[in-house]
Amino acid sequence: MSTLIYTLLAATLVAGCTSSKTTPMENNDSTNANVLTAEEKAAGWQLLFDGSTTHGWHTYNKNTIGKAWKVENGTLRLDAASKKDWQTTEGGDIVTENEYDNFELALEWKLEPKGNSGIMFYVKEDAQYPYTWHTGPEIQVLDNAGHADAKIDKHRAGDLYDLISVSKETVKPAGEWNAVRIVAKDGKLDCYLNGEHVINTTLWNDEWKKLVAGSKFKDMPGFAQFKKGKIALQDHGDNVWFRNIKIKQL
């Protein structure tokens, strides 16, 4: 091979490698997500997001879902381009159509840098409660490296927000997918982040009541009082993506 041909070929290869680089937000393929295996179906798992529509979700205390929630490349995304106060215009927290008592919930999330969101459960949808977090405990979704909340105890990614810190930190950087699993059965709560068991507690007992009394929720009479409720995904005014949202009733 002549020196000239070799030089041109090498330059072409370098240019091709350079042009194929992507940002972390673009480097996660969701095209094969949101599908249950035969084993999962047999075990009773159900998809809460089909990967193509927002069917099964609506904005809290409304009949429809806000336009800021979009289906994009196999993900359920909050488009926070238009932000008002701490939430998104035509966004708002979204909730499932159904309520759940004993369940196992699994999903994946990723955030933009400096982003904030959350996953709530046992949410009671009622006009007397203005927000999902007035009734539903929250697993924090956060960019620990970039968001100011990460400086606050019990406000970091994976924490049971303002109640219990994770036993170990396993969150991935902004732009990468994080896998969450929440198991709630007969008052026992176990939460996992990226395969690690990070929260273990019992709901509604005396110790739990002390935790709530020492938190920002102490003056919310409906907080964590319901043993059956909806799953919610939070609009906190930042771009967030969800996929592989599935649940199994226990």
Side-chain angles (χ1 to χ4, degrees):
M1 183 182 292
S2 69
T3 302
L4 177 58
I5 294 174
Y6 181 84
T7 302
L8 290 173
L9 179 59
T12 301
L13 289 171
V14 170
C17 290
T18 301
S19 63
S20 66
K21 288 182 180 179
T22 59
T23 65
M25 283 293 180
E26 299 167 336
N27 198 29
N28 296 284
D29 184 19
S30 296
T31 55
N32 296 319
N34 314 303
V35 176
L36 295 177
T37 66
E39 291 79 7
E40 287 175 323
K41 290 178 181 178
W45 285 95
Q46 295 180 315
L47 286 176
L48 291 179
F49 170 57
D50 61 17
S52 302
T53 71
T54 58
H55 177 73
W57 296 87
H58 61 270
T59 300
Y60 179 73
N61 277 338
K62 294 185 178 180
N63 295 323
T64 58
I65 190 167
K67 293 180 180 179
W69 287 97
K70 301 176 179 180
V71 177
E72 181 179 274
N73 299 324
T75 70
L76 180 57
R77 177 198 174 194
L78 175 69
D79 182 354
S82 179
K83 186 173 180 178
K84 181 180 180 181
D85 297 325
W86 58 275
Q87 286 194 313
T88 304
T89 303
E90 294 193 81
D93 296 356
I94 58 174
V95 295
T96 54
E97 299 292 343
N98 296 324
E99 293 186 332
Y100 303 92
D101 45 19
N102 294 325
F103 65 87
E104 181 173 352
L105 173 72
L107 58 80
E108 294 176 89
W109 62 264
K110 69 176 180 178
L111 276 166
E112 67 175 336
K114 300 182 181 180
N116 186 345
S117 184
I119 304 157
M120 271 76 73
F121 54 97
Y122 291 143
V123 172
K124 180 58 63 176
E125 189 171 25
D126 191 301
Q128 68 177 302
Y129 305 116
Y131 296 102
T132 57
W133 43 272
H134 284 193
T135 57
E138 173 188 350
I139 297 299
Q140 176 77 306
V141 170
L142 197 79
D143 172 20
N144 280 357
H147 197 283
D149 259 24
K151 298 178 181 178
I152 305 173
D153 184 39
K154 303 174 186 175
H155 285 206
R156 295 172 66 83
D159 289 354
L160 189 57
Y161 183 79
D162 213 55
L163 296 166
I164 301 174
S165 298
V166 292
S167 58
K168 60 180 76 173
E169 296 211 351
T170 61
V171 68
K172 296 180 181 179
E176 295 188 22
W177 287 105
N178 290 270
V180 170
R181 189 159 64 96
I182 302 171
V183 183
K185 189 172 190 304
D186 299 329
K188 190 174 186 299
L189 178 67
D190 293 282
C191 303
Y192 302 78
L193 182 60
N194 295 321
E196 297 285 347
H197 191 187
V198 295
I199 298 286
N200 175 25
T201 191
T202 300
L203 307 174
W204 310 307
N205 63 10
D206 289 341
E207 185 61 32
W208 174 258
K209 292 174 183 177
K210 290 179 183 178
L211 286 175
V212 174
S215 75
K216 66 185 293 182
F217 307 109
K218 62 178 182 280
D219 296 323
M220 298 179 187
F223 180 77
Q225 295 298 306
F226 298 97
K227 298 182 179 181
K228 185 176 184 179
K230 299 188 174 187
I231 308 298
L233 304 177
Q234 188 179 49
D235 169 5
H236 208 291
D238 298 313
N239 288 298
V240 60
W241 293 255
F242 298 94
R243 70 179 183 187
N244 287 328
I245 312 170
K246 54 192 175 184
I247 197 164
K248 178 172 68 173
Q249 298 193 68
L250 303 176

